[in-house]
Amino acid sequence: MESVIRGLLLYTFLLLVFRLAGKRTLAQSTNFELVLLLIISETTQQAMVDEDHSITNGLLLILTLMACTISLSLLKQRYRTLEKWLDDVPLVIFENGHMHKDRMDKLRVDEGDILAAARQHQGLQNLDEIKYAVVERNGKIAIIPKRTGKSG
Amino acid sequence: MSTAMARIGELEVGQDLKFERRWWKFERTGWILLALVLLFAILGYLGPGPLTKHVAGTRGGPLWLEYHRYERYHAPVDLRVHIGAVAARGKELQLWIDREYVDAVSMEDVEPQPESVELKNERFVYTFKVSETPRTAKILFQFKPNKFGKTPGRLGIVDGPEVRFTHLFYP
């Protein structure tokens, strides 16, 4: 019983904190963010397992976490508003040469981040080659390039 | 994905600016709450900290103890017992802690090591040998709570004064 409560508490807490941290906070855009994620996972593991290293405890915790995920996915499928609150929605930050500065400020994204995503994923060199930049629900920036022969 | 996606130019994307604005307000409020939790933790309301160090008994009196009011389940806890000149007399010093309190914790260490520990009248009695009459003595109990919630305790010198204290062990 204690394992299940521990699992539930930590799941809820992580969900809340990661959601409050915002789309971009742990989007793994830097090496340090990856390190931070590893530290958080290690801390979570210690708090969840405590001193009980038995197989039963491990199985119970895994089951609890999976049950939480499945239940939430069912609820999110049924209630779209809940899905928005838990998973967020994508947000367009760059649109045909226009940069949505207010949205970018809220998400703590700058022009450099858009250009970095454009270079990494599309091999683009400058903003003129970008049609749209969208911050996806996982915090990654999706770049849609302008295509030649198609109006922009 | 049964509902129609919002369209921005040619881009079909589930953007929802109304929701996003509401979320940003919620997010900022959440940050303030998280900051408050951290502040509380730094001050000592979620574990040992500077503002929640307590003294039970009268400092400089025959018996007083220093402890932190808020501690955590399975985390190391220090209970510092101070014995004044009046109480530390003779060749033996006997301290007791009520059984209910000791049952709520796992005693890890006592410094200095007691000569013996016995259970008498629902109290654990710790006997320390003293070679000469000391002016004062300090005894450190180190343990880990194995229960959570409010845990009151009593500690005293056999045939002498006693003090009461209360811990709150967080899960």
Side-chain angles (χ1 to χ4, degrees), chain A residues 2 6 17 19-23 50-51 80 84-85 88-92 95 103 105-108 131-132 134 137 144 150-151, chain B residues 1-3 5 8-11 13-17 19-24 26-31 34 73-74 144 148 171:
Chain A
E2 200 188 303
R6 269 173 190 275
V17 168
R19 191 67 185 89
L20 282 177
K23 278 199 245 292
D50 194 26
E51 286 169 359
R80 293 302 301 272
K84 283 182 185 174
W85 281 92
D88 211 342
V89 286
L91 187 65
V92 177
E95 204 177 335
R103 300 178 196 175
D105 288 346
K106 290 281 187 200
L107 294 180
R108 289 158 282 152
K131 190 166 185 183
Y132 297 106
V134 183
R137 298 196 291 194
I144 291 101
K150 208 173 178 187
S151 62
Chain B
M1 300 292 151
S2 54
T3 50
M5 282 279 165
I8 315 288
E10 290 170 60
L11 189 67
V13 63
Q15 179 173 276
D16 184 344
L17 286 178
F19 165 79
E20 207 70 67
R21 286 194 188 99
R22 279 170 69 194
W23 172 259
W24 287 331
F26 180 80
E27 191 183 80
R28 264 49 179 184
T29 314
W31 289 359
L34 291 183
Y73 176 73
H74 276 188
K144 286 181 179 173
F148 40 80

Side-chain angles (χ1 to χ4, degrees), chain B residues 138-157:
Chain B
K138 278 184 205 169
I139 294 159
L140 173 68
F141 288 90
Q142 290 181 309
F143 55 84
K144 286 181 179 173
N146 47 34
K147 272 185 184 172
F148 40 80
K150 201 173 172 182
T151 311
R154 287 187 305 138
L155 182 148
I157 295 169

